[in-house]
Amino acid sequence: MNILITGGAGFIGSHVVRLFVNKYPEYHIVNLDKLTYAGNLANLKDVEKAPNYTFVKADICDYEKMVEVMETYHIEGIIHLAAESHVDRSIKDPFTFARVNVMGTLSLLQAAKVYWDTLPERYEGKRFYHISTDEVYGALELTHPEGIKPPFSTTASSSEHHLAYGSEFFVETTKYNPHSPYSAAKASSDHFVRAYHDTYGLPVVVTNCSNNYGPYQFPEKLIPLFINNIRLRKPLPVYGKGENVRDWLYVEDHARAIDLIFHKGKDAETYNIGGFNEWKNIDIVKVLIRVTDRLLGRQEGEDMDLITYVTDRAGHDLRYAIDSSKLQRELGWEPSLQFEEGIEKTIRWYLDNQEWMDNVTSGDYQKYYEEMYRGR
Ligand code: NAD
Ligand code: TYD
């Protein structure tokens, strides 16, 4: 099978590319990425020479190029992750988010349709898998600020911290209600994907996942930003009171779910992905400080005074909480890591890969592409 993975040089995409290249030597994996500030080929050093891997530098908004790539590589399956992904950037520059997330997705959908329509078997054995976010559902109430035992059990949350901060959860049928330009653009792209199924019969599948954490995340997002700031003893800017709740999933567990759904998910279905692992931001920040201090040989908790409460994010969603029981029930997926294990592994990775961190924060990783791929 020839599979196109878009956004494969980004955080989640690089884990998906690595998993597919290593697990499926019989597939040809084409990683298509524009290499924006968030795309970094150093994330994929370990697979870049694999015989079943090809990198293409391109913009998903370039429709002609998308048709050319579909034809050149005889693409049969698409896993679409390329997007602008940071809420704070979307507040400053909403146009870019609409262009990339909405028009880019549309350009890819149309290219897939046009190419597959030329084949005798058309959509038979084809799949367009769109990766989306729980943020399209909007925000949930925080009805239990102290936390309650959730109605679900999971291996992702530890026994000590297995709390829900409200009684409602996002399910696959929850009405879309996005609040940020990022989530509005992702919601719009989800609608286009479903419209291509309902109108043209394109074989699509959509998943909505909760917040991911793990290695190779660009350090503008909470967890890598704060780990690096703790290391450098820089202030930790907690938005508002730090009471907002996010539901965290280890990135490799997301990649495993993507693999399973790509192969076994039903056409035109939506699956929510999450580990029932809700945390208030301020509690996460305290865990990050304690573990990072310990791993750096400092006294555990000595960096608590780096916490700095700053003006809240505009339109800051209060609580996200995903109910992934459909995926667990129908396809047998479950998260493999408890949060304490995953977060320690993650912190260790960032501390052991300071060169990666220093490169991405200085912009030097852009040069990597120039050196590695020019003229190839
Ligand atoms: P990321 O910002 O780390 O990576 C995005 C990648 O897309 C980068 O490699 C970038 O170069 C590429 N890209 C951006 N614009 C492009 C364009 N016009 N053409 C081609 N490539 C382009 O993002 P991420 O956190 O890895 O998220 C990947 C996907 O997963 C996104 O669709 C996001 O909405 C979704 N998602 C993310 C999370 C999360 O917690 N990070 C959770 C749920 C869903
Ligand atoms: P982020 O990692 O940007 O992901 P998202 O907005 O997609 O959930 O932020 C996670 C949470 O952390 C969110 O509630 C905003 C908060 N946050 C801070 O308090 N300070 C920061 O510097 C950042 C980047 C995020």
Side-chain angles (χ1 to χ4, degrees):
M1 199 173 192
N2 300 313
I3 301 176
L4 178 68
I5 300 182
T6 70
F11 166 47
I12 302 171
S14 62
H15 290 274
V16 177
V17 167
R18 177 175 300 100
L19 177 70
F20 273 70
V21 167
N22 290 331
K23 187 170 171 186
Y24 301 107
E26 70 279 22
Y27 291 176
H28 180 207
I29 306 301
V30 179
N31 170 15
L32 184 147
D33 198 297
K34 187 184 174 186
L35 298 183
T36 66
Y37 78 95
N40 180 3
L41 287 173
N43 296 358
L44 288 166
K45 262 187 178 160
D46 51 333
V47 295
E48 69 189 8
K49 296 201 169 70
N52 63 338
Y53 172 74
T54 302
F55 174 70
V56 176
K57 185 176 193 284
D59 185 337
I60 52 166
C61 300
D62 182 347
Y63 168 67
E64 310 294 331
K65 181 75 186 175
M66 292 309 104
V67 176
E68 183 197 308
V69 168
M70 293 294 299
E71 288 171 355
T72 306
Y73 297 101
H74 308 289
I75 296 300
E76 297 158 283
I78 298 174
I79 304 178
H80 175 40
L81 296 112
E84 288 290 336
S85 68
H86 190 43
V87 174
D88 292 329
R89 284 182 190 252
S90 81
I91 294 168
K92 291 212 174 74
D93 179 15
F95 283 101
T96 298
F97 280 68
R99 192 174 52 74
V100 175
N101 297 1
V102 186
M103 293 305 289
T105 300
L106 181 54
S107 132
L108 202 58
L109 282 164
Q110 181 66 10
K113 175 185 179 302
V114 162
Y115 169 62
W116 290 340
D117 278 344
T118 65
L119 306 175
E121 77 282 8
R122 284 190 79 216
Y123 305 151
E124 189 72 37
K126 309 294 189 299
R127 170 142 279 182
F128 188 108
Y129 181 173
H130 179 62
I131 307 294
S132 192
T133 164
D134 60 356
E135 304 193 23
V136 298
Y137 297 124
L140 292 165
E141 298 283 319
L142 204 156
T143 49
H144 296 79
E146 300 311 318
I148 46 165
K149 283 280 167 212
F152 313 100
S153 84
T154 170
T155 47
S157 305
S158 71
S159 44
E160 303 99 83
H161 186 101
H162 189 191
L163 297 174
Y165 291 97
S167 43
E168 270 192 291
F169 294 80
F170 296 136
V171 290
E172 286 79 1
T173 50
T174 300
K175 194 161 90 53
Y176 273 33
N177 187 19
H179 299 300
S180 72
Y182 163 66
S183 53
K186 289 296 290 187
S188 173
S189 68
D190 296 6
H191 291 321
F192 269 105
V193 173
R194 295 189 179 110
Y196 264 65
H197 171 268
D198 296 349
T199 309
Y200 308 111
L202 207 75
V204 307
V205 66
V206 178
T207 55
N208 298 83
C209 188
S210 61
N211 283 59
N212 284 214
Y213 71 97
Y216 300 113
Q217 186 168 30
F218 193 81
E220 64 186 350
K221 305 277 168 68
L222 180 79
I223 289 183
L225 175 73
F226 278 31
I227 296 168
N228 198 38
N229 283 9
I230 297 164
R231 171 172 78 94
L232 300 171
R233 291 215 153 101
K234 285 165 69 173
L236 307 175
V238 174
Y239 298 164
K241 296 193 178 114
E243 293 289 306
N244 301 66
V245 171
R246 296 291 181 266
D247 189 350
W248 294 93
L249 182 69
Y250 191 66
V251 63
E252 287 180 5
D253 281 330
H254 188 188
R256 283 177 38 250
I258 291 172
D259 175 17
L260 185 65
I261 293 160
F262 180 76
H263 290 97
K264 302 261 167 64
K266 283 201 215 123
D267 267 351
E269 284 287 329
T270 298
Y271 299 90
N272 279 352
I273 310 174
F276 299 113
N277 181 41
E278 289 178 54
W279 285 77
K280 283 187 186 175
N281 289 343
I282 191 63
D283 292 336
I284 289 257
V285 172
K286 288 177 183 166
V287 170
L288 292 176
I289 294 172
R290 277 195 214 100
V291 179
T292 307
D293 279 348
R294 173 161 54 75
L295 293 178
L296 286 172
R298 298 176 187 167
Q299 201 182 333
E300 224 176 277
E302 74 169 271
D303 287 313
M304 288 292 173
D305 59 357
L306 294 177
I307 294 175
T308 310
Y309 293 96
V310 300
T311 310
D312 209 350
R313 173 187 278 172
H316 197 173
D317 285 337
L318 194 51
R319 171 175 173 252
Y320 301 143
I322 273 271
D323 178 348
S324 62
S325 37
K326 173 178 172 182
L327 175 61
Q328 306 204 0
R329 193 177 57 244
E330 292 187 9
L331 299 184
W333 172 87
E334 60 170 40
S336 66
L337 276 188
Q338 286 206 343
F339 186 70
E340 275 75 358
E341 214 182 327
I343 203 73
E344 177 146 348
K345 204 168 153 177
T346 301
I347 295 171
R348 216 179 267 285
W349 186 88
Y350 285 102
L351 298 180
D352 288 347
N353 289 276
Q354 279 172 27
E355 201 188 345
W356 180 92
M357 178 62 87
D358 293 341
N359 283 344
V360 295
T361 44
S362 72
D364 272 3
Y365 64 100
Q366 297 288 3
K367 292 189 198 124
Y368 182 82
Y369 168 74
E370 307 284 327
E371 284 158 20
M372 283 300 298
Y373 283 90
R374 180 167 282 164
R376 274 176 59 175

